[in-house]
Amino acid sequence: MSLLDNIFRRSENQVGTVIPQNVAGLGWSITHKKYADIYLWIILNRILRGLANVRFHPSEVVNNESSRNDIEGLCRFVENNINVLVYMLWTKGCAVIGRDDRKKKYFIPSPADIRFDSNGKVMKYDNVVYSTSYSLTQKTDFDIIKENVKYIDIIKSADDYLTETLGAMAVMSGKAMPITEADKEDFQKEIKTRYGISRDKYQIMLMSHEVTLQQLNLPIKDLDLQGKVKEEMKAIAGYFGVPYDLIPFSGASTYANQEQAVKQFYSDCVSPIAETLLSLIRYMMRNKYMLPSYFTTFSIDNVPELEDDRMADIEYKLKVAELAEKMRDLGIDNEKIVQQLQNIEQ
């Protein structure tokens, strides 16, 4: 039994899983920023909330109770741990599921147990799916956005400092000013730590000798720091397939475009992630139980904006079924049509 198997084991009175902060190897460092945490998690939380509406399940063609139970067992495990599996995809470039055949239980291996060979493939475990970025470049998603997150933190740090100091920059001169470099350094440190506009600092500097202060004007407005943060947010959101209209402070959201943005979000972001995990489920079903891929599928529930798309899908299935029935009544071979109907949900 692995470390994370115990960590992620669900109690009867608990919903969801908790990853302790001392578990190494899941890429937590990218979000340990003073300012950038909230900006990145605005996007990541949106994705994870969307994934909560994904349901993995046997397809309609499965009529064998044993096969259905096997599929449903793995599907429930993936649903219950979907946040962990997706976070592994983002931070390690792969999602891994282990199985204890003796106890007939699935588990998520400890990060320390997930090791890669010289070609970048996971060793020891067979049930693995890789993210697109890792498959092509051996870079994780968090590797790719790391510098963007770092830049947001730099921008917000600068914005905070300029707000606190009102962008003040000046040259102080006088005959009695410090001469040596060490004296100048000590003097500047004292000014920086003791004087400013916050409550814990002095606003008036008392000098025992005559000095001249030359103010330097900084075009703070022209720096457009908040605009630069938004540009980085657009880049990160775009990378993950999250429409910028759905970002709370984008300023672009209207009732008219919200519905289309939600549809695009589930089409460009949630569904591809679900497809990646579905491919892992199908791989495990083929290897362990020799079940074909079309025995397993996924759907998205509790999203009113997708109801129209769902109705169109149902209408299409009904038309195909009607065509197959008419061909059968006319004595025409309808095997290919029936097969098409069975494969619609693949």
Side-chain angles (χ1 to χ4, degrees):
M1 187 72 68
S2 72
L3 169 65
L4 285 193
D5 188 29
N6 290 323
I7 292 171
F8 298 143
R9 189 168 52 200
R10 306 166 75 82
S11 301
E12 292 182 0
N13 62 342
Q14 293 182 354
V15 176
T17 56
V18 177
I19 304 177
Q21 291 292 296
N22 61 357
V23 175
L26 279 178
W28 294 101
S29 59
I30 187 175
T31 57
H32 283 176
K33 305 292 184 184
K34 182 177 180 180
Y35 299 97
D37 278 28
I38 187 171
Y39 291 95
L40 177 61
W41 279 100
I42 283 174
I43 297 173
L44 299 186
N45 277 333
R46 182 76 198 196
I47 298 172
L48 296 176
R49 287 196 299 268
L51 289 168
N53 294 319
V54 174
R55 301 288 177 265
F56 298 98
H57 52 81
S59 61
E60 296 174 358
V61 300
V62 181
N63 51 24
N64 180 280
E65 184 177 355
S66 177
S67 296
R68 180 171 287 274
N69 289 339
D70 291 334
I71 295 172
E72 287 181 345
L74 179 55
C75 287
R76 293 296 77 74
F77 178 85
V78 173
E79 280 184 21
N80 292 340
N81 295 282
I82 193 167
N83 287 357
V84 179
L85 292 169
V86 171
Y87 205 78
M88 288 178 70
L89 280 171
W90 290 337
T91 59
K92 297 191 76 67
C94 61
V96 184
I97 296 177
R99 178 175 171 82
D100 187 331
D101 289 326
R102 184 173 58 86
K103 295 185 177 181
K104 297 182 179 181
K105 287 186 176 181
Y106 300 106
F107 66 91
I108 298 176
S110 163
D113 286 342
I114 301 175
R115 300 186 179 183
F116 301 85
D117 63 20
S118 58
N119 294 318
K121 291 187 176 181
V122 172
M123 299 186 296
K124 185 179 176 182
Y125 295 99
D126 296 325
N127 304 318
V128 183
V129 64
Y130 299 95
S131 66
T132 302
S133 62
Y134 186 83
S135 296
L136 298 176
T137 67
Q138 290 194 15
K139 286 186 176 181
T140 69
D141 293 311
F142 272 23
D143 286 336
I144 292 174
I145 67 170
K146 179 172 61 178
E147 293 303 318
N148 300 81
V149 175
K150 179 181 177 181
Y151 188 46
I152 290 176
D153 210 61
I154 292 173
I155 295 171
K156 290 302 298 180
S157 295
D159 192 21
D160 181 46
Y161 183 75
L162 290 174
T163 300
E164 183 177 322
T165 63
L166 295 179
M169 182 174 288
V171 176
M172 185 178 292
S173 59
K175 293 181 179 181
M177 292 296 292
I179 301 300
T180 67
E181 289 300 321
D183 289 341
K184 290 179 181 178
E185 184 74 18
D186 290 341
F187 183 67
Q188 289 182 1
K189 285 182 179 178
E190 181 181 2
I191 293 176
K192 187 172 183 178
T193 57
R194 299 186 63 186
Y195 297 92
I197 62 172
S198 57
R199 292 180 179 273
D200 60 335
K201 293 185 178 182
Y202 296 112
Q203 284 77 46
I204 300 175
M205 184 182 299
L206 301 177
M207 306 292 290
S208 60
H209 45 269
E210 183 179 350
V211 295
T212 300
L213 184 68
Q214 179 64 46
Q215 180 83 23
L216 301 179
N217 294 321
L218 295 177
I220 299 176
K221 183 178 180 181
D222 295 341
L223 294 176
D224 190 22
L225 297 179
Q226 193 59 34
K228 292 179 179 178
V229 170
K230 289 184 177 181
E231 287 302 313
E232 295 304 315
M233 286 288 287
K234 285 181 180 179
I236 296 173
Y239 176 79
F240 284 110
V242 178
Y244 193 60
D245 284 347
L246 299 182
I247 304 300
F249 60 83
S250 69
S253 298
T254 63
Y255 288 109
N257 62 19
Q258 274 289 303
E259 181 176 351
Q260 187 58 42
V262 171
K263 289 182 178 180
Q264 184 182 346
F265 168 63
Y266 279 94
S267 172
D268 297 350
C269 177
V270 174
S271 289
I273 295 175
E275 288 283 359
T276 299
L277 296 180
L278 178 63
S279 67
L280 179 57
I281 294 174
R282 287 175 167 176
Y283 174 80
M284 295 177 69
M285 288 293 98
R286 287 197 306 270
N287 272 10
K288 183 67 178 176
Y289 303 107
M290 299 297 184
L291 297 178
S293 293
Y294 61 83
F295 271 31
T296 314
T297 187
F298 77 90
S299 58
I300 298 174
D301 293 338
N302 304 318
V303 184
E305 291 85 352
L306 300 182
E307 288 298 328
D308 291 340
D309 293 346
R310 188 174 301 167
M311 289 303 299
D313 185 51
I314 293 173
E315 289 176 6
Y316 175 70
K317 291 179 185 178
L318 290 174
K319 288 181 180 179
V320 174
E322 183 180 353
L323 175 60
E325 186 177 358
K326 288 182 178 179
M327 292 177 66
R328 183 198 62 194
D329 293 341
L330 293 173
I332 302 174
D333 182 10
N334 66 352
E335 182 178 351
K336 291 184 178 180
I337 298 295
V338 172
Q339 185 65 41
Q340 180 184 357
L341 181 61
Q342 292 175 343
N343 292 340
I344 286 175
E345 292 191 358
Q346 286 191 42

